[in-house]
Amino acid sequence: MERCKWCCDDGIVQKYHDEEWGMPLHNDRKHFEFISMEVMQCGLNWTMMLNKREIFKKCFSDFDFEKISQYTESDIVEILNHDGMIKSRRKIEAIIGNAAAFRNIIQEYGSFNHYIWSFSNNESLIYLKHQQGQPETKNDLSDKISIDLKKRGFKYLGSITVYAHLQACGIINDHTPTCFMYNKLVRMGNVRYIDD
């Protein structure tokens, strides 16, 4: 079975690729989990985030954004002292602030899922130039969403981080055409090909 080359470790990264990366995601809590892990990743690598996922779940109430938005200084200190946790006060504070901003989007749009998928008209996007060997780490869509999220108070969500989220949650299908997941996702429907 052929896969995207970046994931072939026969371990945690491959499992993430096969079971999660690029699958259309429509669960608010899961969106917040991915966004929080992407915040923690800044300057680090995704394999480390996957290995620390259970620690993040313990530290951040299993990514319950309602609870996280109410965290206080004592919660921050407890997280910083948790064994194996990334010791970045700024990232921890960003996740807490992001939880409050996330809730505000839900109040406005009914769900974060509705908000984020509205940028692609509820379609999974396939950029043909990516399939032709011209990959990107950000684009006009991620720029637009990043600017909007920052206006809403989100931190650590620049265009590159937002692009990674769009790939992870299936708004952008960036599996290589030879990967078994690529055709699986195409068959799920609601796909738009972009040739620019």
Side-chain angles (χ1 to χ4, degrees), residues 33-46 48-49 52 55-56 59-60 63 79-80 84-95 98 155-157 161:
E33 176 178 344
F34 280 178
I35 287 169
S36 298
M37 289 175 67
E38 287 148 4
V39 165
M40 294 304 293
Q41 184 200 355
C42 288
L44 302 170
N45 67 72
W46 191 246
M48 179 188 291
M49 300 308 104
K52 289 184 178 289
I55 293 170
F56 298 151
C59 288
F60 293 110
F63 299 105
I79 292 168
L80 284 167
M85 182 58 183
I86 294 168
K87 312 296 185 190
S88 171
R89 173 178 276 272
R90 289 179 63 200
K91 288 181 180 180
I92 293 164
E93 289 174 344
I95 289 171
N98 289 351
K155 307 287 186 198
Y156 277 89
L157 284 177
T161 305

Side-chain angles (χ1 to χ4, degrees), residues 77-179:
V77 171
E78 186 176 332
I79 292 168
L80 284 167
N81 289 325
H82 193 284
D83 189 42
M85 182 58 183
I86 294 168
K87 312 296 185 190
S88 171
R89 173 178 276 272
R90 289 179 63 200
K91 288 181 180 180
I92 293 164
E93 289 174 344
I95 289 171
I96 296 167
N98 289 351
F102 196 89
R103 286 177 58 215
N104 290 340
I105 285 179
I106 292 171
Q107 288 170 3
E108 183 177 347
Y109 286 85
S111 71
F112 182 85
N113 183 71
H114 181 73
Y115 162 80
I116 196 79
W117 278 90
S118 71
F119 286 95
S120 71
N121 295 316
N122 297 305
E123 297 170 312
S124 289
L125 309 176
I126 296 175
Y127 291 87
L128 295 177
K129 64 182 176 183
H130 300 178
Q131 309 303 321
Q132 295 160 0
Q134 301 174 54
E136 299 177 297
T137 57
K138 64 176 187 163
N139 64 8
D140 290 344
L141 179 61
S142 63
D143 289 346
K144 180 179 179 180
I145 296 172
S146 175
I147 288 167
D148 193 65
L149 289 172
K150 286 178 181 177
K151 285 180 184 172
R152 295 170 180 278
F154 284 81
K155 307 287 186 198
Y156 277 89
L157 284 177
S159 186
I160 291 172
T161 305
V162 168
Y163 187 89
H165 184 67
L166 298 178
Q167 292 173 304
C169 76
I171 291 176
I172 295 176
N173 178 355
D174 260 349
H175 286 278
T176 57
T178 54
C179 174

Side-chain angles (χ1 to χ4, degrees), residues 2-20:
E2 193 162 346
R3 296 176 169 86
C4 298
K5 288 185 172 49
W6 60 263
C7 76
C8 298
D9 69 345
D10 290 322
I12 194 166
V13 177
Q14 187 168 303
K15 184 176 184 337
Y16 168 70
H17 168 275
D18 290 1
E19 297 175 7
E20 296 180 88

